[in-house]
Amino acid sequence: MSETSAQQVLAPVEAATAPTTDVLDQLMKPEVQQSLTVLVDNLPKLAEMVTILTKTYDLVQNVVTDRVLIEDLKGGFDEMVRPITEKAKGLASAAIEAGDRSQAESGTIGLFGLLKMLKDPQVQQTLRYAQAFLEVLGERRNQQG
């Protein structure tokens, strides 16, 4: 019985000293000692970095879990995107309608029809835009070549 109790007492002691021996063996290696020296030298910087990371983590955690802030951001984004979406939808519907009208018209546009179209302010604006666009493309091509 004393033999069993002695084994029970020694088993935890042996188990506790085995990892300690491994740690001591590791600490005796020169590269481990050099790494520890570098760590100790940089402890103030590491502490500052950990503090900043902790604050950043806390801030991100607060932002991610704040439903009111998320809804406000979503609402602001929607308000910013809505006008662009509506304008794009308007342009798309105008292009579709123009395509339908051009398919329905079977007449040819003659010289006098073209001259009449040139008086239209929308045609003038489109022609000015096309001219400016082509000038810009020409300038860029000259700069590259």
Side-chain angles (χ1 to χ4, degrees), residues 113-132:
L114 190 57
L115 289 173
K116 182 180 176 187
M117 284 175 49
L118 286 174
K119 293 180 183 180
D120 184 357
Q122 289 292 332
V123 172
Q124 286 294 315
Q125 184 178 3
T126 304
L127 290 173
R128 283 192 300 272
Y129 177 82
Q131 182 181 16

Side-chain angles (χ1 to χ4, degrees), residues 80 85 98:
M80 183 180 72
T85 305

Side-chain angles (χ1 to χ4, degrees), residues 13-62:
V13 171
E14 288 173 0
T17 57
T20 306
T21 306
D22 291 339
V23 169
L24 291 176
D25 288 342
Q26 291 291 324
L27 288 174
M28 295 303 290
K29 294 180 182 178
E31 61 270 10
V32 172
Q33 291 176 0
Q34 184 179 5
S35 297
L36 284 173
T37 302
V38 170
L39 282 173
V40 169
D41 289 343
N42 289 309
L43 274 177
K45 291 178 185 176
L46 290 172
E48 184 179 344
M49 287 173 54
V50 167
T51 302
I52 292 170
L53 285 173
T54 303
K55 288 178 181 178
T56 304
Y57 175 81
D58 291 341
L59 176 68
V60 169
Q61 226 20 52
N62 288 336

Side-chain angles (χ1 to χ4, degrees), residues 58-122:
D58 291 341
L59 176 68
V60 169
Q61 226 20 52
N62 288 336
V63 168
V64 169
T65 57
D66 189 354
R67 294 288 172 208
V68 174
L69 179 63
I70 291 172
E71 290 300 320
D72 287 347
L73 288 174
K74 182 181 170 189
F77 186 73
D78 286 344
E79 286 180 20
M80 183 180 72
V81 171
R82 186 177 299 122
I84 297 169
T85 305
E86 289 173 358
K87 189 167 188 172
K89 285 180 182 178
L91 289 173
S93 71
I96 291 169
E97 186 178 344
D100 292 343
R101 284 186 189 182
S102 69
Q103 293 293 327
E105 291 284 329
S106 61
T108 57
I109 300 176
L111 180 60
F112 292 112
L114 190 57
L115 289 173
K116 182 180 176 187
M117 284 175 49
L118 286 174
K119 293 180 183 180
D120 184 357
Q122 289 292 332

